[in-house]
Every structure is written in C-alpha cells, then in structure tokens.
Amino acid sequence: MKIVNTSVRKVDGVGVVTGNPAYTEDLILNNNVLTIKLLRSPHAFAKIKAIDTSIALKVPGVEAIFTHNDVPETRFTLAGQSFPEPSPYDRRILDEYVRYVGDPVAIIAAEDERAAEKAMKLIKVQYDILEPILDFEKSIDSHILIHPEEVHTNFEIGYERKRNIASKAYSEKPGVEEGFVKSDIILERTYYTQPQIHAMMETYRSYSYFDVNGRLTTVSSTQIPFHVRRHLARALELPTSKLRVIKPRVGGGFGGKQTAVCEIYSAFVTLKTGKPSKIIYNRKETHTCTTTRHEMRLDVKIGSDLEGNIKAIDINVLSNAGAYGEHAPTVTSLVSYKTFPLYDTVPMRFNANIVYSNTMNAGAFRGYGATQGTFAVESIINELAHKLNLDPTEIRMKNLVEPGEGKYITSGDIKKCIEIGKEKFNWIEKSQVREVAPNKVRAAGMAVTMQGSGIGGIDTAAATIKLGDRGDFSLMVGVTDMGQGCDTVLTQIAAEVLDVPMDKISIHSADTDLSPYDPGAYASSGTYVTGNAVIIAANKMREEILKGASKMFNTNINEIEYLGNNLKIGNNLISLEDFAQRSISFEGMNQITTTGTWGGETSPPPFIAGFAEVEVDTLTGEVEVIDYLSVVDCGTPINPNLVQVQVEGGAAQGIGLALLEDIKYDKKGKPISDSLMQYKIPSRLDCKNIRVEISNSYEKTGPFGAKSVGEVVINTPAPAIADAVYNATKVRVRKLPITSEKVLLGMFDL
Amino acid sequence: MFSFSKFFLASSLEEAYTELLKNKKNIILGGTSYLRMGNTPWNTGIDLSNLNLNYISETEEFINIGAMTTFRQLETNILLKDFFGDIFNVALRDIIGVQFRSNVTVGATVFSKYGFSDLIPVLLSLDAKVKLFNGGILSLEDFLNEQNIRKDILVEILIPKKYCKTSFQCVRKSKTDYSIINLAICNFNNKITIAVGSRPGKAMLAKKTMAILNLSENIEKEIVNAMKHIGDEIPLDSNMRGSKSYRELLLSALLRKGIQEVLN
Amino acid sequence: MLLTTTINGRKKEILIKDDDYLLDVLRKEGYLSVKRGCDTGACGLCTILLNGSPILSCSTLAARAHGKQISTIENFPKEAKTFASYMTAEGAEQCGFCSPGFTLTVIAMTKELQDPTDDEIMHYLNGNLCRCSGYISQLRAIRNFMEEIKNENC
C-alpha cells in the first residue's frame, strides 16, 4: 500500500481554507433569483381555516405566494433512505394542518429578502388552534390525533396512526426471561436522551432553476442527491427524467442533510413561476424547523451473577418522532442493532414505540440510535459494575464479544481497544477519585460502542472511472463529501489500485445526471461501500486498458504489464498518456469507461472504547472534561489523519451531547434554543484535550481492510462522562445533558 | 428583522440628541450586535462613531470610559488592570469571541441595562457613574434602578480611581455562554462591594450582605454568615439557563469563592 | 447611500441601503469567502478585518465602513496558503465552511499576539465555531504555523 493508509492532504483542502467559492449559495449565478421565505406556524397544533394573501401579494417585488390550496395532494416522506423507504408518507409540501411551531404555512417568493419579509407580515391566517401533545410520553392513545389523514407506508413498520404511533420495533436474542431467573442481581433504570441539533455551520439551503433543456435543476447542500430527486419527483408529481439534483461542496451535515429539508420549496417555486429561486434557512430555522436527534426514554433491565457475568438485558424504548415520521423505525432499531452484537452471548430483548408529538420532527443524526442505545446500555453496565464492586473495564472484558469466523463480528477487537485505552489513558490512576484542589474533584469513566459500515443487504453504491484523452482519470461517484473527506479517501483508493499519483485523478461528486447511483453519505458507508465500488471500477479499468492495449498493439494480453503511468509491452514502455491519446483517437476508437457497483451482505462494525476524565467543582456542579481518549478500531485507516479528526470531532459533538446541548421549549411548544447563542455547541475552550489512539485490525470485506469511522465516534462520551461524574460526586445523572445544575442539585439530594 | 430607514452620522452630541428627540422611532446605534437581533423597524439610526467616544482615560478622580469603547478594549486595557486587577479581563474574555467583543460597546450595554450582562456587575461593584448627555452624571446604581429607558445619550462611564482587589465569579453552561449567575466583588481598604447579575434580572448590589461583612472586625469569619443572608436579599428567578433553586446555591457558593479571592 | 471604502486594497464605491450589513454587501459584491453561519454574531464565519482588526461583518453596518479598509481572506493570499498547508497537513479543515473566517482570525492573531500560549490562542479564537473538527487539529496546525512565522522572523 503506497497511498492508502497514508495521511495525504485532502484534495479540496487548500481551496476551502483559502475561501474559494464552492458551496451552494456561492454558485448562484443568476442575479434575478427569487428569494423564498416560509411563513411558519406560531402554534404547535392547528388547522388552517383560512389564509388571505391578497394584501401581501401587493408588496412590490413579491412574485408569488403559495398555500396548501396550491400544492399537490400527494403525501411523501423526506427521509434519505433507499426505496421503498421504511418511513410513513405523512407530509405534503404544505398541509391544512400545522403540527409543530415552525411548520410551514405559506411559501413566499420575492425579488429579495426584504420584500419577502414584508409580505410575510401581511399574510392573514385564521387558525383553529388545537390542543397539542408536547410531552411525547403522553402521546400513545391520547385523545389528540396528530395525523387525522390517511397515511401510506411502503410495508409493515408497525404504523398505528390512530394511536399516534409512527412505527414500532422489536428484536430479541433468546433466553432473556431465563437469564433474569438465573441472575443474582437485577437492576432496572430509566434513561433519557435529549433531542440534539446538528448545528452544521452551513445551514440548509437549495437553489433551483430550469436549464436550457427545460429540466428542473436543484442545487442543494445535501447528503442524498439521488433520494432528493426521487422525493422531488413524488412531491411535485413529475417524472425523474425532468429533474436533476446537483450537490456542490457541503458545509457539514451530520445526518441533518440526510433529510430533504428544504429542496421541495425552491423546486416548487421554480416549477410554478418558471424562475430561478433559492431558499436559505437562517440559523433560527435550522435550529427549530428541521430535524433533531430522536429524543428517547429507555427503560433498561439488566441481570447478572455476582461475578459480573451478564445474564440478560431488556430494553424498552419510547422514541419521539415529532410531527413527522422521517427515519422513525430505523433510527430506533439501532438501539438494539448496535448493542446486541457487542454483548453477543448475552440474551437481550428490545421493544420500541416511536410516537408522534407536536414538536420539531426527529430524523437522522450521526450515531443514528446507536448513540441513544449506547448511553442506556453502557450506563446500566457501569451501574452494575459499581453494585458489584467491579472495575468497569473488567465487567466488559467478561461480557464483550470475541470476534470469530462464522460470527456476526468477524474482525476487529473491542477488548484490545480497552487494553490500549487502559494503558494510554492511565486508567488505573485516573479512575481513582482525587481531590486536586479545594472543592475540585477528579475521576474517570469509560464506555464502549460499535456502529456499522453501510446498510448490509440494502444499500449499494457505484463508481465510474473514465480514462481521459491525456491519460488522466476522472472518478465519478454519487457519495457526498460533507467535510468528512470521502472525495479524498476514494481518490486514494482509486490511485492505489490504478497505481498512479493522486493528482492524475479528478473526482466528481455529485450530480444525478452524471454520477452513478449512490444512496448518499449516511450509515457510515462512504469508505466501505463506495470504496469497494471504486476498487471494482479501478480493477476493471486496469483490465480494459490491458484489453485495449492488446488490441491496439496486437499483442497477447499476458505480455502486457500495467505499470500505472506506463504500460510495458514486451520490452517496450509506452506511457499511459500516449496510450490514452491513441485509444480515444481514430486509431483506437475506444473511450475506456468502467463502473463498479457494490453492496455489502454485512455491515462490519468499527469499535471505540472511550475514556473520560472529568473535574467537578463541588461548589457549583460544573463539569469539565480534562481528558478524553477514544481508542478506535476502524480496520485499516485509509487516511489516518482524517480518521483522527473524525474521531476528535465526534468526541467533541459527543461532549456537547453529554454536557451542554439541549432544546428548550416554552409552555406552548415554541422552541427557544433558536440560535447559537441559546443552543450552545462546544467551543474551543470546551474541548481542551481530546486524544485518539488507533487500534489496527483488518476487515477482509472492506477496501484494503477498512471499515467505517464517521458515526461510531459520537457514542461513548455521554455514558463515559456520566460515569466519571458519578465517580467524582456519587450523583448519577440519567437524563442528558449532565448540566452543572443537575450535578449540584443531585449532590444536595444525596 | 431589525431595520431603519436612515443612517445619521452625528457630528456632535448636540446634533445626535436633537435627532434622537425628533421621532420616538429614532435610536442611538451602539455596536449593533444586540440591536440587530430585535425585530423593530426604526426610523433613524444615529451613529456616534465620529464623536471620539472611543477612549479609556484618566482624570484626577476617575477613569473615564467613552460610550463607544468596545469590550475588547476594556479587556486588554492596562490602566483598568492597574487599578482594578484582572476583573475586566476575567469578566469579558469569555463572551463569545474577540470579534464579537470588538463590536459590542460599553455605552449600548449599560444603557440597555441587559440582565445577562457580565460588564454591568463589574461596573456596579466599582461604584461607577454614568454621564448622560442631557441627564448629567448619576450613579450607575440609580440609573439601573430607573424603570424607564431614558430618551438620552450615554456619553461615558466614570469609575472612581482606587487601587482595589477584585473578583469576578460566574458559572456558564459552556465556556462562552451567558452567565447563569454572576458576581463582581471589590475590596477597597477592607470595604467590600458586591454586585450580582444574571439573576436573571438586571444587576444589583447586595447591600445587606455588604453591611454584614463591612461591619465585622474579621471579614473571613463572616463569610458563612454572609452566604446565608445573600439569598434573602437578592431576588432570583428561573430561566432557560438555570432554575431559581440552582441560582440560590450558586449565589452563596460564588460569594464564598469571590470573598476569599479579594481577601487573599 | 454611497459607500466609499477600500476592499482588499481597491477603492470601491458601492450603492447601499442605510441599514445594510457589511456581510450582505460583501457577498453581493462577490466576496464569497465571507460566509454566514448564524444571525446572532455567535459563530465567527463572517469575520473580516476592518482597519486590520477582526470584526463580525454580520453585525457591522456597512455605513460604518465608510472611509475604512476592509480585508477579506483574499487580501492575504500568501499567509492563507501557508496556513492552509498546515491545516491540510492535519486534515483539520473538514467541511471548510468556517475556514475562511477562522483563517482570517488566525492571521489577525499572529499580527496581534507575540508568542501566545495555547490558552491565549484558544481564547483569541473562541469566537470561531467549528462543528466538525473538535478544534484539536486546528490547534496543531496553528502551533506549526506560528512556529514557521517565528522562524521567519528570526
């Protein structure tokens, strides 16, 4: 391996750091583009009785205003999932019901923002204000029905509209009841995880126009261009052949842009007016009218013998889908999918209801349910360890999976991650409670986790490589780089197989007209799934070049050697540049283009053992993370630097989840964490010491042995920090985030 | 959306004041960081940028801080540090970031009497005065106690010159957040002044607690007593950053930390 | 009103509305490196230098730039490229949307602070949020960048 497993610079790095235009809004060339603003509901639940737009339409510069009377009847989902999506088709572009504070009521298109804002104030809406369900724990079988209309689901997902249940999930490893019978000790605990906001730096935005061929083109900051096109086709009742979606550079996603949050509005306005239009969500809309991490209540029961051999785990989940059901069944399922295999010999049962409520809707968010499951399962295992007077690392060594042939997990080693972490973190010393100054106590906690690499048996990705006329390669993929670096990683993989320097390869992503199909960047699939497709395409390219050369030079293919920049034909060297030129010319009439398509049967998990040292101020309850170490096993790191920064960034986001981030609503259901002032994400000073160790392994189904790393990184901070805080203070916070208030009030309650 | 129709660059305070009185929708522009978060359509925005109100200077009795002085200047100023120690730096350096603090002005913050302010308690603890163009000089405390926002221009802040020991205490949810509660304490020749802000209401002096400490022969021995009393005199409330009961616990905890700091 | 200002060394006359903010004006004029990340002055993405000091263009009225010098990152091609090489060497740039404003603040910091400690660096840059990187890789890049500047000055 020459290029793979080295920390090459990102292909687009210098360009973005020095400010080259690259993002959706930078690419709007038309000066007459309409600006779209959405009038949003001030009520958590209401039926629109009447809307009068006549005065608003008179504002100079207003082009059009659309209400639910103007949009197609068709209902759809905006979830970024392969067809047929396991999410209910429960929304329209605009509906006569508004189901959360911020649900769109009218679409205003105007020549500029000022005119749109002015018109917005002049739209008169009469609402029939309905009693909302703001507490998701009161949703099931409430007298309030959030979706009174008929809703289509593609297949059985446990949808029970009349009970406000958006879906159900269940899974079981047999032996749970017997396990509890055999247990010497049983703990039952309830944990809560909060809805988290993605808070990517580039807010949601899209830009639509008709191209010269009359095709409706949408440029969008999205993780899922192909799914967006399919959703637009359904929502706008247009054939996909009339639609094109282009994804330029994306300024962060974290799963937020795995839901088609805003594209329907610009596409609809352009369709209706014939004019180019843009919609750029402001920060407030981004924080209050998009999607969040699913809020969950997790009731967990664990049984064990006195030596810490876990006999059974039972998990009951109530998950908040919010107003619409995007990603409802799948996110919550990952509570079990990403905890069951980790403790593979322990009987486990999981039962979940995912319910509607009149809050902002939930969706995909890095970790995708594994985060919530990890918090609950790892927390109760830590609690069990304390009850049994066992070191948290010891109880895990007794119960964690041993990988092996024929098992669900065949490669990687979570126990090795723990061993490495114990040494590098200095666990023995740091896990001791110490008073380092008056009223300042330090202690440590740990947790483990796994994720997947792509969605086994469902998602497939393709990659196309073209040999250019001067011997350079174009690599075309539909996976979307949102900062994580898949453009670079895939270029590395292609360069490795094609045996050429990386600058011989240009990567293009993504355009539904030009890119081969890819579900998009989600489910930790970029390196693993699309990476494998790139390998296939690149190997085919080598074969096709050899075939082409064989024909051109009338030489047996076995006598031609592919050397990357050159071909060796007998004793002669011919440069690839020369060959390519001749191949595409009249002489060869051979444009070599190859495509690889790949989907995994399995979803091999990356692992992390996370270790947190905290310092608690016992006078104020303030918690500071002094040291955070993630030991990650992601197979072969294709680019160790990018792995490291993914892990560091995920830990920071996890620290935010653990300590700071929380959406607050007022009594009427209006979110008040509506800015980066009120919803605080970690700043530089909140993430002083995050460290990473890579534990090497080799996943034989992965590209060059690689697994994923993008999501697994966020799961361990919350349970590790919660246990560190417990060790320091004896206060067990089971409801995230672990605020200084909860810690201090907890200390007074002891 | 915050907006105004006319930008008026004043060439004198008189001119600015006359313009201000012309229309109740006319407004003096400070750093415009907070103003822009509002939703009010204003008539004329009056800019004081050309009036040389950006200074920190000293006279015989006072340190004078011009209304257009930014937080960043306060935080890095040597004169303030000489007299009052690190309190300006400690109180201000965690507010968002350098760029934000280069925008935010002293005058707009004090005139607006923001409850969440970290600066106002500091000024209050240092016995600062405000100079208004029309209203003249009055104590910051009296100014804060006025319920109405005056139709006037804050010209400068005056802080009596005294070499004192100071402490700023606060708890923030994240390092750059608004304070859940904050305290500024000044010890000048064993006379303690305590100001409490982010209650979440606007800042006030803890006079009874100050009296307990200042009437005592040995301040250190009275700390526990003071911690008990301060909660009775300072009204606290809940908001999205913290509950009333948490603020009560923090208030006495921070008082203890702060007093210890100004005694050592 | 007519705004007379200097942007990246070039004198400009731009017709603006009285209550336009600098960020909107600059983007409209094609200075696309200046990004908007929030509406409350909390993220630092829109940082520009006004007479050499970093300010938030989202919170600064364009009218106040009258007669002043505005610099966006394009005004520092050499420094930006050098810093970019250290950022990319760490993989620290990630989504890149915060990078121009952040880089400009770093450049301003190197002009303002002599030999800062890590703590001083973190405080100076605390107004530049990043959701991707966790900040540690950026600190590594800054340390290396500062080292090069120090060596150049020796």
Side-chain angles (χ1 to χ4, degrees):
Chain A
M1 291 188 273
K2 285 186 270 181
I3 297 170
V4 155
N5 199 11
T6 63
S7 291
V8 297
R9 288 180 158 91
K10 281 168 77 174
V11 292
D12 41 10
V14 171
V16 294
V17 176
T18 55
N20 289 359
Y23 304 86
T24 299
E25 197 192 358
D26 302 342
L27 305 179
I28 300 177
L29 299 173
N30 194 313
N31 287 333
N32 298 313
V33 63
L34 295 171
T35 296
I36 300 171
K37 288 276 158 190
L38 302 175
L39 171 67
R40 295 177 177 280
S41 168
H43 308 295
F45 196 23
K47 188 174 182 181
I48 296 165
K49 284 201 291 194
I51 308 182
D52 181 358
T53 59
S54 55
I55 300 171
L57 278 166
K58 288 180 186 150
V59 172
V62 171
E63 174 79 19
I65 298 174
F66 303 102
T67 71
H68 67 90
N69 296 315
D70 306 311
V71 303
E73 287 292 331
T74 309
R75 289 183 186 274
F76 51 88
T77 179
L78 295 174
Q81 301 169 312
S82 289
F83 185 81
E85 310 87 353
S87 290
Y89 287 5
D90 57 7
R91 58 159 85 230
R92 290 172 66 204
I93 298 174
L94 296 169
D95 206 348
E96 64 175 331
Y97 283 93
V98 283
R99 296 180 176 84
Y100 69 97
V101 175
D103 215 357
V105 172
I107 303 168
I108 304 150
E111 67 179 19
D112 62 19
E113 191 171 342
R114 286 171 192 261
E117 296 267 0
K118 197 170 176 188
M120 191 186 292
K121 288 180 187 159
L122 297 171
I123 298 174
K124 288 182 186 148
V125 189
Q126 278 181 281
Y127 294 100
D128 185 4
I129 299 167
L130 305 170
E131 185 190 348
I133 302 173
L134 299 176
D135 178 354
F136 77 108
E137 294 187 72
K138 293 178 181 152
S139 178
I140 293 182
D141 296 331
S142 166
H143 63 283
I144 302 161
L145 184 56
I146 293 179
H147 283 273
E149 75 286 353
E150 282 305 318
V151 168
H152 168 80
T153 57
N154 285 316
F155 48 87
E156 175 58 40
I157 55 168
Y159 194 79
E160 283 192 66
R161 184 175 60 81
K162 290 182 178 163
R163 301 184 65 204
N164 289 324
I165 296 174
S167 89
K168 296 196 202 88
Y170 179 83
S171 56
E172 187 178 356
K173 280 190 282 172
V176 172
E177 288 310 325
E178 301 91 299
F180 285 124
V181 171
K182 279 189 271 177
S183 296
D184 299 318
I185 177 172
I186 290 175
L187 299 184
E188 290 184 72
R189 298 286 185 269
T190 297
Y191 302 93
Y192 285 89
T193 60
Q194 79 276 41
Q196 186 181 21
I197 297 172
H198 307 80
M200 67 295 280
M201 286 296 116
E202 184 198 29
T203 60
Y204 298 84
R205 54 199 55 199
S206 70
Y207 158 48
S208 297
Y209 59 90
F210 274 109
D211 73 9
V212 68
N213 296 336
R215 293 174 74 241
L216 181 55
T217 306
T218 297
V219 180
S220 168
S221 178
T222 181
Q223 296 172 228
I224 46 158
F226 284 90
H227 295 333
V228 167
R229 186 177 62 159
R230 203 179 63 248
H231 293 331
L232 289 180
R234 182 176 168 89
L236 303 175
E237 299 175 346
L238 286 176
T240 38
S241 62
K242 289 282 174 206
L243 294 162
R244 176 181 182 187
V245 175
I246 297 170
K247 174 227 72 114
R249 180 112 192 146
V250 174
F254 313 109
K257 292 170 184 172
Q258 194 192 338
T259 300
V261 164
C262 64
E263 294 86 348
I264 45 171
Y265 306 112
S266 65
F268 181 73
V269 165
T270 295
L271 178 67
K272 285 286 172 185
T273 63
K275 296 186 179 178
S277 70
K278 66 172 178 185
I279 183 160
I280 296 175
Y281 275 25
N282 60 27
R283 183 54 63 181
K284 184 177 174 178
E285 289 173 303
T286 295
H287 280 211
T288 60
C289 311
T290 57
T291 66
T292 68
R293 184 184 292 289
H294 283 75
E295 174 183 24
M296 290 187 198
R297 187 190 75 208
L298 304 105
D299 299 302
V300 192
K301 183 177 171 185
I302 192 167
S304 162
D305 67 15
L306 295 175
E307 283 75 47
N309 298 301
I310 301 171
K311 301 293 179 193
I313 298 175
D314 193 13
I315 310 168
N316 277 287
V317 176
L318 187 73
S319 176
N320 185 13
Y324 301 96
E326 270 103 20
H327 297 275
T330 44
V331 164
T332 308
S333 294
L334 259 67
V335 168
S336 70
Y337 294 171
K338 306 305 173 197
T339 55
F340 280 23
L342 209 43
Y343 298 96
D344 66 332
T345 57
V346 177
M348 292 173 85
R349 186 169 56 206
F350 158 80
N351 209 338
N353 286 307
I354 303 100
V355 300
Y356 284 124
S357 71
N358 293 109
T359 57
M360 185 185 352
N361 62 295
F365 195 135
R366 188 187 217 173
Y368 204 84
T371 312
Q372 294 92 319
T374 301
F375 177 64
V377 171
E378 291 300 296
S379 287
I380 203 162
I381 289 175
N382 282 330
E383 294 204 45
L384 177 66
H386 291 298
K387 277 275 181 209
L388 297 173
N389 226 354
L390 287 171
D391 186 290
T393 60
E394 271 175 51
I395 195 166
R396 289 185 170 81
M397 291 313 234
K398 284 173 195 257
N399 293 287
L400 280 170
V401 59
E402 292 276 356
E405 283 303 322
K407 290 189 177 182
Y408 179 81
I409 293 170
T410 57
S411 77
D413 191 348
I414 180 61
K415 290 185 180 175
K416 189 171 136 202
C417 294
I418 294 178
E419 298 287 4
I420 293 171
K422 278 178 83 168
E423 193 204 321
K424 298 282 182 187
F425 185 75
N426 201 0
W427 170 256
I428 304 290
E429 191 190 314
K430 286 188 172 176
S431 57
Q432 301 303 311
V433 185
R434 292 146 293 144
E435 187 160 2
V436 291
N439 310 309
K440 299 269 192 189
V441 183
R442 287 190 185 185
M446 63 86 61
V448 298
T449 192
M450 61 169 261
Q451 199 83 30
S453 305
I455 304 178
I458 292 180
D459 284 346
T460 61
T464 297
I465 301 174
K466 182 179 83 176
L467 177 64
D469 61 324
R470 304 295 295 164
D472 306 318
F473 296 100
S474 304
L475 170 61
M476 287 162 283
V477 291
V479 69
T480 53
D481 196 327
M482 53 186 144
Q484 80 277 39
C486 62
D487 281 357
T488 305
V489 163
L490 298 175
T491 306
Q492 280 181 269
I493 291 173
E496 184 78 38
V497 178
L498 293 169
D499 205 7
V500 293
M502 280 177 68
D503 59 14
K504 284 270 187 190
I505 300 171
S506 59
I507 184 159
H508 303 268
S509 158
D511 179 332
T512 55
D513 273 10
L514 306 173
S515 313
Y517 176 77
D518 196 295
Y522 63 85
S524 294
S525 60
T527 298
Y528 181 74
V529 181
T530 315
N532 270 321
V534 170
I535 290 180
I536 295 170
N539 278 321
K540 279 190 187 168
M541 174 55 72
R542 291 177 60 133
E543 284 168 32
E544 289 302 316
I545 288 172
L546 291 177
K547 276 190 212 164
S550 164
K551 197 173 162 197
M552 185 180 295
F553 302 112
N554 205 11
T555 308
N556 189 308
I557 199 162
N558 298 324
E559 287 166 34
I560 307 174
E561 204 180 336
Y562 177 90
L563 298 172
N565 285 328
N566 295 293
L567 299 174
K568 195 174 174 207
I569 300 162
N571 288 325
N572 297 326
L573 274 187
I574 175 169
S575 73
L576 194 62
E577 184 181 333
D578 193 14
F579 167 73
Q581 184 72 63
R582 290 166 66 179
S583 176
I584 195 64
S585 71
F586 192 75
E587 179 185 356
M589 285 198 198
N590 182 18
Q591 166 64 68
I592 302 179
T593 306
T594 59
T595 293
T597 309
W598 194 84
E601 292 287 338
T602 60
S603 179
F607 301 104
I608 280 185
F611 297 82
E613 183 188 16
V614 300
E615 181 175 296
V616 182
D617 185 320
T618 54
L619 288 178
T620 62
E622 288 163 287
V623 177
E624 185 163 13
V625 178
I626 300 295
D627 189 12
Y628 196 88
L629 173 67
S630 292
V631 184
V632 61
D633 176 340
C634 59
T636 303
I638 303 286
N639 187 320
N641 266 358
L642 297 188
V643 165
Q644 179 168 355
V645 179
Q646 279 290 302
V647 182
E648 289 169 354
Q653 219 168 31
I655 289 170
L657 180 80
L659 297 177
L660 312 174
E661 297 179 36
D662 202 2
I663 300 176
K664 303 268 191 190
Y665 289 91
D666 72 7
K667 281 178 192 154
K668 290 183 166 176
K670 181 182 165 216
I672 48 179
S673 326
D674 60 359
S675 69
L676 287 169
M677 288 277 203
Q678 308 297 7
Y679 182 91
K680 297 300 283 190
I681 62 171
S683 73
R684 223 164 278 277
L685 292 169
D686 298 295
C687 314
K688 281 187 180 154
N689 195 19
I690 297 173
R691 294 186 292 140
V692 178
E693 290 288 337
I694 295 177
S695 170
N696 286 304
S697 70
Y698 191 91
E699 167 56 41
K700 65 177 192 290
T701 65
F704 299 99
K707 295 182 288 189
S708 82
V709 77
E711 292 186 274
V712 67
V713 293
I714 199 173
N715 300 336
T716 51
I721 290 169
D723 203 45
V725 169
Y726 171 79
N727 287 326
T729 62
K730 295 292 165 232
V731 175
R732 172 67 61 183
V733 180
R734 298 191 182 89
K735 189 170 189 172
L736 295 176
I738 306 157
T739 60
S740 56
E741 172 161 355
K742 288 178 194 167
V743 174
L744 191 68
L745 294 179
M747 285 166 70
F748 275 84
D749 284 344
L750 287 175
Chain B
M1 202 163 112
F2 161 77
S3 64
F4 57 82
S5 2
K6 195 179 147 201
F7 179 81
F8 182 82
L9 187 63
S11 55
S12 71
L13 277 168
E14 291 79 7
E15 197 183 67
Y17 185 66
T18 312
E19 191 66 26
L20 181 66
L21 295 186
K22 275 186 189 164
N23 186 318
K24 68 173 196 266
K25 287 255 168 181
N26 288 2
I27 188 164
I28 303 286
L29 302 171
T32 64
S33 286
Y34 285 100
L35 201 57
R36 67 183 283 269
M37 294 181 213
N39 208 9
T40 318
W42 298 92
N43 185 39
T44 298
I46 302 162
D47 189 17
L48 310 180
S49 294
N50 271 10
L51 305 184
N52 299 320
L53 292 176
N54 186 339
Y55 57 81
I56 301 169
S57 61
E58 59 180 323
T59 54
E60 207 162 298
E61 241 184 296
F62 295 107
I63 304 283
N64 305 60
I65 304 171
M68 293 302 280
T69 307
T70 68
F71 277 27
R72 178 70 181 153
Q73 288 170 287
L74 296 183
E75 168 197 342
T76 51
N77 186 268
I78 301 290
L79 197 56
L80 293 173
K81 190 181 159 96
D82 281 351
F83 282 96
F84 313 118
D86 280 329
I87 192 163
F88 282 93
N89 185 274
V90 171
L92 304 181
R93 70 174 180 190
D94 287 330
I95 301 171
I96 314 290
V98 165
Q99 306 93 315
F100 188 80
R101 302 195 299 277
S102 299
N103 269 44
V104 174
T105 61
V106 174
T109 297
V110 173
F111 193 77
S112 307
K113 306 177 188 177
Y114 293 126
F116 56 76
S117 174
D118 289 316
L119 175 67
I120 293 174
V122 172
L123 294 173
L124 201 52
S125 76
L126 297 175
D127 196 20
K129 299 173 194 317
V130 298
K131 184 175 164 189
L132 301 170
F133 174 76
N134 186 47
I137 295 174
L138 70 160
S139 77
L140 174 61
E141 191 194 3
D142 289 343
F143 178 71
L144 290 174
N145 284 338
E146 292 178 353
Q147 289 306 311
N148 294 334
I149 296 281
R150 291 183 183 221
K151 207 72 185 167
D152 206 336
I153 300 172
L154 194 152
V155 180
E156 69 174 10
I157 303 287
L158 302 95
I159 311 177
K161 273 160 76 172
K162 52 190 178 189
Y163 291 98
C164 50
K165 286 203 119 181
T166 55
S167 170
F168 180 83
Q169 299 289 331
C170 71
V171 170
R172 303 179 199 271
K173 223 168 153 182
S174 81
K175 298 281 185 199
T176 62
D177 199 5
Y178 294 103
S179 297
I180 298 172
I181 191 165
N182 56 26
L183 266 85
I185 303 180
C186 168
N187 178 3
F188 175 61
N189 291 339
N190 282 331
K191 185 173 171 287
I192 305 277
T193 314
I194 304 163
V196 184
S198 288
R199 310 175 287 106
K202 63 189 172 189
M204 62 188 287
L205 290 170
K207 289 192 174 164
K208 286 179 193 159
T209 310
M210 283 154 57
I212 290 171
L213 296 168
N214 289 331
L215 290 172
S216 165
E217 291 287 296
N218 185 335
I219 292 175
E220 193 145 20
K221 281 191 174 162
E222 290 295 331
I223 292 179
V224 175
N225 194 18
M227 284 167 66
K228 281 182 197 149
H229 279 85
I230 193 161
D232 296 334
E233 71 164 314
I234 302 288
L236 300 172
D237 212 337
S238 301
N239 71 351
M240 69 187 283
R241 285 192 163 65
S243 69
K244 186 178 173 186
S245 41
Y246 182 46
R247 284 197 166 91
E248 280 165 4
L249 295 173
L250 286 184
L251 182 55
S252 56
L254 296 185
L255 179 70
R256 178 166 139 192
K257 287 187 175 193
I259 297 287
Q260 275 163 351
E261 237 178 70
V262 297
L263 292 181
N264 290 328
Chain C
M1 62 185 283
L2 194 67
L3 169 69
T4 308
T5 184
T6 306
I7 307 178
N8 297 341
R10 275 199 196 162
K11 206 166 171 194
K12 292 258 180 182
E13 288 193 339
I14 308 165
L15 201 59
I16 59 165
K17 290 215 165 70
D18 282 30
D19 58 352
D20 272 343
Y21 278 93
L22 211 40
L23 171 58
D24 301 297
V25 172
L26 287 171
R27 281 199 67 88
K28 221 178 200 171
E29 288 292 306
Y31 298 94
L32 299 176
S33 65
V34 194
K35 306 291 189 217
R36 181 195 301 280
C38 72
D39 319 307
T40 50
C43 73
L45 266 64
C46 67
T47 300
I48 57 154
L49 306 189
L50 194 61
N51 283 357
S53 296
I55 56 125
L56 298 171
S57 63
C58 74
S59 306
T60 303
L61 287 166
R64 281 186 168 166
H66 196 77
K68 292 186 179 164
Q69 309 273 340
I70 293 170
S71 298
T72 69
I73 195 169
E74 288 89 344
N75 206 25
F76 302 95
K78 187 170 160 273
E79 288 99 325
K81 212 166 173 193
T82 308
F83 183 60
S85 75
Y86 287 106
M87 284 284 282
T88 52
E90 299 293 335
E93 72 280 15
Q94 297 281 297
C95 92
F97 203 68
C98 71
S99 291
F102 166 67
T103 303
L104 202 49
T105 316
V106 170
I107 292 169
M109 177 180 75
T110 60
K111 295 182 195 300
E112 194 174 327
L113 303 183
Q114 300 296 317
D115 213 1
T117 62
D118 281 358
D119 193 55
E120 284 167 329
I121 292 172
M122 303 284 246
H123 265 100
Y124 195 95
L125 297 168
N126 212 21
N128 292 87
L129 291 179
C130 166
R131 187 60 155 170
C132 297
S133 72
Y135 306 107
I136 309 292
S137 54
Q138 294 182 350
L139 182 62
R140 292 193 290 267
I142 293 165
R143 284 193 200 125
N144 294 337
F145 179 57
M146 300 290 269
E147 196 62 34
E148 172 168 331
I149 293 174
K150 216 158 97 185
N151 292 339
E152 267 179 15
N153 292 343
C154 280

